[in-house]
Amino acid sequence: MEFFSVLITEFAVCHLAIKFGKDLDRLALKPFTNYLNRKNFYIQLKYVEYLSYITSTLGILTLIANLILACTLHNDHWWKDWAIALCLSPFGCYLRFDLSRRFNSKLKHFPLGTFIANFTACVLLSILALLYYGLKSKDSGELLIKNELKRLVIHGFINGFCGTLSTISTFMMELENLNQLDNLNHKYFYYGVSVIGSFISMVLIFGIYGWVIGTI
């Protein structure tokens, strides 16, 4: 029941967001932009480039600040967990971007790069969750990894790296684009392989250990 509740809620809300965004664009944004175009209003490209430079610089400074905090804060500090995750998140984000750029065009009706990113994130998440929550034995109740710093780093990889390597927004947008094709089989094949394949990988890695040991 938990599986179906999360599955239905996540995809229903994301699908509704796409539909609402498109309706908002039609009802509010397009008339406004058309009005500005009639008035010969435009933003020069150089100002957009300046804004890009400013946001990029702020992003790098924020990353450096979080790296310093991750290295200097005490393990018990509440922000250290977030700082580690923020330091790792750009790597997952750029890896997903590179996978999409390299492999999404390989198959016409199957965004292979996004699938690889989501599937890899689920596999890594299962392994890391097993290390974080796993017990050496049911009777002892002893964690596989007890060192607090190592646990913080693992949790940072779960929230930061795996969180940005995987994507629901791009996945839903790709399903919406496949929906424009004549044959809907491609859409539901991509959906089924992505969801079922990722779920099975997590069951095999995370679930089997829990069944063998008796608990997680």
Side-chain angles (χ1 to χ4, degrees):
M1 294 302 295
E2 182 72 15
F3 170 77
F4 286 108
S5 66
V6 172
L7 193 67
I8 293 172
T9 303
E10 287 284 341
F11 287 102
V13 171
C14 292
H15 185 70
L16 177 63
I18 291 177
K19 295 297 184 183
F20 177 76
K22 287 185 175 182
D23 291 341
L24 180 65
D25 176 55
R26 286 173 49 196
L27 296 173
L29 299 182
K30 277 192 176 178
F32 179 70
T33 54
N34 290 336
Y35 170 78
L36 294 179
N37 289 333
R38 287 196 299 270
K39 298 296 183 180
N40 295 323
F41 179 86
Y42 65 94
I43 300 176
Q44 294 186 12
L45 182 61
K46 64 179 181 180
Y47 295 124
V48 178
E49 292 178 348
Y50 291 155
L51 180 61
S52 177
Y53 292 141
I54 293 172
T55 54
S56 299
T57 303
L58 290 175
I60 293 173
L61 293 176
T62 303
L63 180 62
I64 294 173
N66 278 286
L67 180 61
I68 295 173
L69 291 174
C71 295
T72 57
L73 289 176
H74 193 271
N75 292 342
D76 295 332
H77 197 283
W78 66 273
W79 184 254
K80 182 161 185 142
D81 187 25
W82 292 101
I84 295 174
L86 289 170
C87 289
L88 296 171
S89 59
F91 298 100
C93 182
Y94 280 109
L95 176 58
R96 175 164 66 87
F97 171 77
D98 191 59
L99 288 171
S100 298
R101 184 175 59 86
R102 290 175 181 271
F103 297 106
N104 272 5
S105 59
K106 298 293 184 182
L107 300 175
K108 182 179 179 181
H109 303 300
F110 193 94
L112 184 60
T114 304
F115 171 77
I116 294 174
N118 281 331
F119 185 79
T120 303
C122 288
V123 171
L124 290 176
L125 178 62
S126 303
I127 297 172
L128 294 170
L130 177 59
L131 294 173
Y132 190 82
Y133 296 104
L135 303 176
K136 290 184 177 180
S137 66
K138 181 179 180 181
D139 297 330
S140 67
E142 186 179 357
L143 292 168
L144 287 173
I145 296 179
K146 296 184 292 183
N147 183 275
E148 187 62 28
L149 181 58
K150 292 180 180 178
R151 291 178 60 81
L152 285 171
V153 173
I154 291 174
H155 200 248
F157 268 101
I158 291 175
N159 289 331
F161 184 80
C162 294
T164 53
L165 179 60
S166 59
T167 170
I168 185 67
S169 57
T170 304
F171 179 64
M172 293 301 299
M173 197 63 231
E174 289 168 347
L175 289 175
E176 184 70 14
N177 293 335
L178 290 173
N179 193 44
Q180 308 302 320
L181 302 175
D182 295 333
N183 194 346
L184 291 179
N185 292 336
H186 301 299
K187 172 183 177 180
Y188 287 103
F189 177 75
Y190 175 52
Y191 174 84
V193 170
S194 297
V195 174
I196 296 174
S198 300
F199 180 72
I200 290 177
S201 70
M202 299 192 77
V203 170
L204 292 177
I205 297 172
F206 192 71
I208 289 178
Y209 183 86
W211 295 331
V212 171
I213 300 300
T215 186
I216 289 291

